[in-house]
Amino acid sequence: MFLLQVLIVLLLVVAAVVALLIESRSDRFAAARDRSLAAAEAFAHSPGLVATMQGPDPTAVLQPATEAARKDAQVDFIVVTDRNGIRYTHPEPDQIGKKFVGTIGPSLNGHVTVEQVHGPLGLEYQVVVPVEDAHGGVVGIVSAGMKVANVSSAIDRQLPVVLAAGAAALGLATAGTALVGRRLLRQTHGLGPEEMTRMYEHHDAVLHAVREGVAIVGGDGRVLLANDEARRLLDLPADAEGRAVTDLGLDPRTTELLLSESEVTDEVIPVGDLLLAVNNRPTDSGGGPPGSVTTLRDSTELRALAGKAEVARGRLRLLYDASMAIGTTLDVRRTAEELATMASREFCDYATIDLADEVLIGEEPQTLTAGATVELRRVAVAGIRDDSPLYRPGRLVRWAGSTPQAEGFVSGRSALVPEVATDAGWRRQDAELTQAVLDFGLASLIAVPLTARGVLTGVACFWRGRDRGGPFEDDDLSLAEELAARAAVAVDNARRFTREHTMAVTLQHSLLPRALPEQSALDVAYRYLPAQAGVGGDWFDVIPLPGARVALVVGDVVGHGVHAAATMGRLRTAVQNFSTLDLPPDELLGHLDELVAHLDQEAAAAGGELAITGATCLYAIYDPSTAICSLARAGHPPPAVVHPDGTVELLDLPAGPPLGLGGMPFEAAELRLPPGSSLVLYTDGLVEDRTRDIGFGLDVLTSVLARPGRSPQEVCEAVLAALLPTRQSDDIALLVARTRVLQPDRTAEWEVASAPEAVARVRAEATRQLAAWGLDEAAFVTELVLSELVTNAIRYGSEPIRVRLLYDRTLICEVSDSSSTAPHLRYAVAEDEGGRGLFLVARLTERWGVRYTPAGKIIWSEQFL
């Protein structure tokens, strides 16, 4: 196409040039003649010419005039000659006086001559005009003319215009061709004519070979195209194309669909013995021509399969819903109820779930032999009505060995009973119940054992009534087995969780204090609530210390489960052991931190074991004789102090790093607690959860505590009522201790001189004090103990030496000095002079020991009263 356009433009340009040359040939001569004739005539008839020519020097006058006239007339020359042809003027002055080149004969006779000659300027086109006097006589001639080359150059100047116009036309043709070609390529997706032809042939072949009818109807209601399948499905005549749809003899609904201008999707219509799925789309929606395209598909066979596909789809949907609805919790009973509810709603009329009692407590049932009686607990019943005669939940049912339930539980195989009325094994279970079930309308049964990971946990029974649509079939049995298999995994998961949870709770409870020890320094109440999802590592402890003092401990191990509970037990035991050394709180936490770091190193070396890093602890020691409480914490929330007037204070203790991180010392703080104050210790599960931050929880805690006059038990109840979350995800340990002080008259203290005779005075003072307390029966032992302890202090210690008696639940004797050396118990041989005093102290008292203070040490002993 582009080459054709180029050829046409070139031919047009050549034709224009040729026509221009032909026309210019005649036009240039006519133009040269007319211009030359006009110039010659004008100059020949100019006034005064005759007189000038007859004058003495015609050349001098005429040469300037002719040159001026030549330039104005735009001719190449104007020459004036006499009658003999001798030139008076010429554009080239050296030609003046020479013979005129040309024909002058006719002009001498009064005629105008037009001719071409080779003159001094070259090939010239000239006009010769006679100059006549007043009497009509010719006195000379005037010739004007132009060179032929100059006449042709004017025409040649038009040639570039013609060529430029041709080039412009060629450019426009090229651009138009490119635009048209590009649009054609876009419309044909880059396909050439041959490819378009092949594609059209291929599409035509596909259109007539496809197993789907295609009919195209124009806007006038006539059939434009109908492939072979459309002709077969609609039974169209051979000349259907081009005919009106209304003339084809189709039924009204088919005709209406073919002529419809609206969209139709998968509408099924009967055509003869066939069922056709019809789709119709208008062709003018995207700017196309009016009309419609209709596709027809034979769906006769698909209609027969639609029912089965719908049933299969419903069963898949049931299994999917079951996987989402069953096992939402790790509770065995709840899982069984979810299975019964799901099955009775979409699969059967009634569903019952029976589980072994061992499963309910997390254990595996015993393996039974064939024919044995099976005892199962009815856990869940669900159905379309609530008044069915089936066993109610909670009842322990003894299934006879011949029943489908017992056989299924023993063998692990499902049982399908299409007609319960004719099943002999079922009828042996309970004749009265069997009749009640039949009278109620239940006619068919499927019993499926709940088996997961090789463990038989129970039996699921599905019942169908007579009005349901027939008894159970084999397809129903396979669906019931799939449903039971999914539920069995959830039941077994819940069973395993129950077992693990029970073990963890048992372990945790065994590691926590079972009862508070007897002591007189504090009135203590506590609450411990394990997390709902699993036990954690929170713990608390109340530890009596020498000197009527009491240690309070609250700790938290990160994580849940058996590992956290076991770790909690190890830490609690370690704290109890460290407390026997009577260490200050900060030193005790330092030793505990080293222990946790050591345990973490062992876990890392073993590989696969969890570390303890992240555990927290708060340790406090309260002395009722001084009302001073010393506290230190390792990453634990700060304790709260409730003063007797109801003022609440969160103690600003140095936080310290969590246990196991190491590298940082712990700091202790001391404060005096007035009698009746309450010290509140807790773990972070009380004040922090997923729905609130710890700051908000502490604000609530302080507001709840700010009420004076309540006992520790009442404080615990109020705090839990305000702060216990709906879904408890972490353990909660709460310890509330109200302080008491040892009355001044229950304490006696003396300073002892470092002299042996001072021992007798100490014994005498102690005896008098015991008499004042009414403890005369303890005087003998007390004298022996004080004699030994004071003597050791005088001999091995350094001043000051002090003696203190405390009358509490026990009688406490304390001897202090400023030395850091401590005695130790040993067996003295016969030759030893010493070493028997401490042995007597240990045998006569309940316990004794040494504790160190910043000023030295204290050796103490306790006697039961």
Side-chain angles (χ1 to χ4, degrees), residues 631 639-644 646-651 671-674 677-680 705:
L631 309 95
V641 174
V642 183
H643 295 280
T647 304
V648 180
E649 176 186 4
L650 288 175
L651 298 182
L671 71 156
R672 184 178 299 276
L673 298 176
S677 301
S678 294
L679 187 63
V680 181
L705 294 176

Side-chain angles (χ1 to χ4, degrees), residues 594-615:
E594 293 178 0
L595 173 64
V596 171
H598 178 69
L599 294 177
D600 283 345
Q601 292 175 0
E602 288 184 350
E609 295 187 12
L610 299 176
I612 311 174
T613 302

Side-chain angles (χ1 to χ4, degrees), residues 416-562:
L416 170 61
V417 182
E419 289 293 337
V420 176
T422 60
D423 185 72
W426 161 250
R427 297 183 70 88
R428 293 195 192 100
Q429 167 65 22
D430 188 334
E432 183 179 352
L433 177 65
T434 301
Q435 191 59 44
V437 168
L438 295 175
D439 295 341
F440 189 73
L442 299 181
S444 186
L445 166 67
I446 291 179
V448 183
L450 298 176
T451 307
R453 304 180 182 94
V455 178
L456 276 166
T457 56
V459 177
C461 295
F462 307 102
W463 301 83
R464 179 175 289 181
R466 296 186 182 89
D467 300 332
R468 180 76 175 186
F472 285 118
E473 300 177 351
D474 291 338
D475 290 342
D476 297 318
L477 177 61
S478 62
L479 177 60
E481 290 175 340
E482 286 284 343
L483 192 61
R486 295 172 185 250
V489 174
V491 170
D492 191 58
N493 289 338
R495 178 192 66 82
R496 291 156 65 97
F497 172 79
T498 301
R499 181 184 63 188
E500 297 294 333
H501 184 73
T502 301
M503 291 174 57
V505 170
T506 302
L507 174 63
Q508 185 184 50
H509 286 177
S510 67
L511 297 175
L512 288 171
R514 300 188 180 184
L516 295 180
E518 295 182 358
Q519 46 82 30
S520 303
L522 298 169
D523 182 11
V524 180
Y526 69 92
R527 293 291 185 275
Y528 187 86
L529 302 176
Q532 295 179 5
V535 297
D538 294 13
W539 92 91
F540 69 93
D541 215 340
V542 179
I543 306 173
L545 298 178
R549 297 170 303 138
V550 177
L552 302 176
V553 189
V554 173
D556 185 3
V557 175
V558 176
H560 294 84
V562 176

